[in-house]
Amino acid sequence: MGLVIMSERELNRIEVLSQVTRSAMTVVTAASVLGLSRRQVHRLLKDFQSEGPGAVRHKARGRRSNNRIDPAVREFALILVRENYLDFGPTLAAEKLADDHGLQVSRETLRKWMQDAGIWLSRKQRRTFHQPRLRRECLGELIQIDGSDHRWFEDRGPACTLLVFIDDATSALMQLRFVTSESTFSYFEALDLYLATHGRPVAFYSDKHTVFRVAQQGAKTGHGMTQFGRALNELNIEILCANSSQAKGRVERANRTLQDRLVKELRLAGIADMDAANAFLPGFMERYNARFAKAPRRPDNLHRPMNIKPDQLRDVFCFRDQRYVGQQLTFSYERKRIMLDESEITRGLVGKYVDTYAFPDGRLVIRWQGLTLPYAAFDKDQRVTHAAITENKHLSAVLAHIKDIQDAAPPKKQPAGKQRSRYTPTGNRNDGWNSKLAKRAKEARAASQGSDI
């Protein structure tokens, strides 16, 4: 008879039928064990005793399916897919074959045909693996920076953002700072602390946030770099932007670790505000680096000393721009009208550009060739304008600012306008004594009496 392939269910049936043949089991018990009727067991037993174990094997095994699709249909479908739908998925290709060519094929059948023909790759075959980027060799060669918006104080305080500076070579936390949101001034604050502690690194590695990168590269105005980029350029520090979150995976993984460990540490310390949390961070960083930091491949420290005076550094960490001076010695700046005080110097500035310095404390300084110019500001408006465009990372801070303004503002009076007021009846009946018709009748009577006299 040769080798016969059987399934586990068929082998189980042979064992039960063998016991029935040896009178070790009754037909009723066999029917219960196999889940068949007594009549079916009798038929199987008859075939088993006459033809042997091979009779229990399914008769369709090894034969083509009765519902198989003609091979010519398969070839025709694959020809249509290659000619018209080569980059289509099986689901969409099956829809197009049915709608445009009248060829009804299930998507799973077409998927198998396309896979066998090498047209379609399964999800497992299409999976791509990111090649891990090797660490830099020296401390201070590349510093990854990112902001993590999270409820760091849980329900004890408002949500805020943690700015994270991590060294690529060692995975050591170089600087942590709690701020309200990711903004240029908040990064200036964290960068100032970083430079005072470590010095100037070779380069920073960040995402494509608008703090680091100009969103519209083809803009006709501006200098092609952000205020943060301009500050780093003056400090001779390079800024690089990652093309994906995986590229700066070390700081992303550090954020996930901090969102677990730091949150619990703050809870145990009973900290619920940013000032206390920022005072707590140096000790936490020391413990974190002792546990997780790695030794660099080379012992060189590529941080460079600052060699910049503090007053010059203040001019670096500010918003700097240029404004065109009009005929009236005025220009616009942040919804304000700036008028320069008239002097021998300012009279010659008409048609020229002056430098503006906006500092974190709100001061605005105007200079021309290093000379500070006195000015007056008009139409100052600090209100967030209606329908203002706000980035997601700044939304919490903007909403908090709006709420403070609304709480401080007096309640607005309801304008009269064209509002309908409710009529309250007085009980007096208007009989028309003062209407126009009554007045005319009265005038006619007076005229007739005068003519009679």
Side-chain angles (χ1 to χ4, degrees):
M1 184 177 180
L3 181 63
V4 178
I5 299 177
M6 291 187 177
S7 65
E8 184 178 355
R9 186 184 68 171
E10 293 169 346
L11 293 175
N12 186 35
R13 286 184 177 183
I14 291 176
E15 182 180 356
V16 173
L17 293 176
S18 299
Q19 295 182 17
V20 174
T21 303
R22 296 194 308 268
S23 300
M25 182 183 296
T26 64
V27 174
V28 176
T29 305
S32 178
V33 171
L34 297 177
L36 302 174
S37 64
R38 291 176 55 190
R39 180 178 299 179
Q40 181 67 11
V41 173
H42 278 294
R43 283 199 293 266
L44 290 175
L45 184 61
K46 180 179 178 181
D47 295 338
F48 177 75
Q49 292 174 348
S50 61
E51 302 179 13
V56 182
R57 181 170 175 264
H58 199 282
K59 299 300 186 293
R61 187 179 300 279
R63 296 167 49 190
R64 289 178 177 268
S65 172
N66 295 329
N67 296 324
R68 69 182 183 278
I69 300 177
D70 194 326
V73 176
R74 171 177 175 170
E75 293 299 326
F76 179 62
L78 292 177
I79 290 174
L80 292 177
V81 170
R82 287 193 180 96
E83 293 180 352
N84 305 303
Y85 316 114
L86 189 59
D87 58 341
F88 283 38
T91 301
L92 183 57
E95 295 177 3
K96 292 301 179 182
L97 289 178
D99 296 340
D100 300 342
H101 306 280
L103 184 58
Q104 295 289 342
V105 181
S106 68
R107 63 179 183 181
E108 295 304 324
T109 299
L110 185 60
R111 186 189 308 275
K112 187 176 183 306
W113 291 352
M114 294 173 66
Q115 287 180 359
D116 295 341
I119 301 175
W120 177 256
L121 298 178
S122 64
R123 186 183 299 272
K124 184 177 181 180
Q125 293 171 325
R126 283 183 282 119
R127 182 182 177 185
T128 58
F129 298 90
H130 294 279
Q131 185 71 21
R133 180 177 57 82
L134 297 178
R135 296 177 179 271
R136 307 310 302 174
E137 296 183 348
C138 301
L139 177 68
E141 185 176 359
L142 184 66
I143 305 298
Q144 297 190 19
I145 56 177
D146 193 22
S148 178
D149 189 9
H150 189 64
R151 296 202 68 89
W152 296 99
F153 310 123
E154 298 173 311
D155 296 333
R156 304 184 307 277
C160 59
T161 299
L162 178 66
L163 302 184
V164 182
F165 290 56
I166 184 172
D167 181 65
D168 186 80
T170 62
S171 292
L173 296 178
M174 307 299 288
Q175 181 65 44
L176 296 178
R177 188 70 179 175
F178 282 109
V179 295
T180 305
S181 63
E182 282 191 81
S183 64
T184 302
F185 279 134
S186 63
Y187 272 103
F188 278 161
E189 179 184 1
L191 179 60
D192 190 11
L193 296 173
Y194 179 95
L195 297 177
T197 305
H198 306 286
R200 294 178 297 168
V202 176
F204 284 112
Y205 198 47
S206 68
D207 55 16
K208 296 180 181 179
H209 193 272
T210 52
V211 172
F212 314 111
R213 176 177 176 270
V214 177
Q216 188 176 355
Q217 295 293 333
K220 296 181 180 180
T221 59
H223 304 286
M225 62 177 63
T226 63
Q227 293 289 336
F228 190 80
R230 185 264 315 158
L232 292 183
N233 184 52
E234 294 184 10
L235 296 172
N236 195 18
I237 302 174
E238 188 63 44
I239 178 72
L240 305 174
C241 294
N243 195 38
S244 63
S245 58
Q246 290 84 358
K248 55 185 187 69
R250 288 184 180 85
V251 70
E252 296 289 351
R253 288 189 293 271
N255 285 338
R256 290 198 299 268
T257 304
L258 293 173
Q259 289 177 4
D260 178 47
R261 286 176 169 263
L262 183 55
V263 169
K264 295 178 174 62
E265 292 278 0
L266 295 174
R267 182 199 308 161
L268 294 176
I271 296 176
D273 59 272
M274 289 194 299
D275 294 336
N278 286 325
F280 174 81
L281 287 177
F284 173 81
M285 290 171 53
E286 184 177 355
R287 296 191 300 271
Y288 181 97
N289 293 336
R291 181 174 180 82
F292 296 107
K294 302 181 182 298
R297 296 176 59 185
R298 292 171 53 188
D300 301 334
N301 188 349
L302 299 187
H303 284 102
R304 298 159 292 168
M306 286 296 298
N307 297 330
I308 297 179
K309 296 180 180 179
D311 55 346
Q312 294 178 348
L313 194 59
R314 284 194 298 269
D315 291 344
V316 172
F317 294 149
C318 65
F319 268 73
R320 287 168 53 177
D321 204 349
Q322 291 183 332
R323 287 294 187 269
Y324 179 81
V325 180
Q327 294 291 335
Q328 303 298 325
L329 297 181
T330 60
F331 58 87
S332 297
Y333 186 86
E334 295 293 334
R335 299 188 301 275
K336 292 181 291 186
R337 195 68 176 172
I338 305 298
M339 176 176 288
L340 301 176
D341 293 349
E342 186 177 356
S343 64
E344 295 181 359
I345 298 176
T346 57
R347 291 192 196 100
L349 296 181
V350 176
K352 297 182 180 180
Y353 286 89
V354 293
D355 298 322
T356 60
Y357 295 74
F359 295 93
D361 56 2
R363 292 185 299 115
L364 176 64
V365 177
I366 302 173
R367 295 173 183 170
W368 182 73
Q369 294 185 355
L371 180 64
T372 302
L373 303 176
Y375 67 92
F378 300 92
D379 299 330
K380 188 174 182 179
D381 182 15
Q382 296 291 348
R383 182 179 182 274
V384 179
T385 58
H386 177 68
I389 299 176
T390 305
E391 291 190 9
N392 182 38
K393 293 188 176 182
H394 299 165
L395 186 58
S396 300
V398 171
L399 291 177
H401 176 62
I402 293 175
K403 186 177 184 303
D404 294 340
I405 293 177
Q406 292 175 346
D407 294 341
K412 296 181 180 180
K413 295 182 179 180
Q414 188 71 17
K418 295 183 178 179
Q419 297 181 355
R420 180 177 297 176
S421 59
R422 184 181 295 276
Y423 170 72
T424 303
T426 60
N428 299 328
R429 185 176 179 181
N430 184 4
D431 54 359
W433 63 272
N434 199 28
S435 62
K436 289 184 178 181
L437 293 176
K439 289 180 180 180
R440 292 175 182 174
K442 185 176 180 181
E443 292 173 355
R445 288 196 300 271
S448 62
Q449 291 177 1
S451 59
D452 294 341
I453 295 173

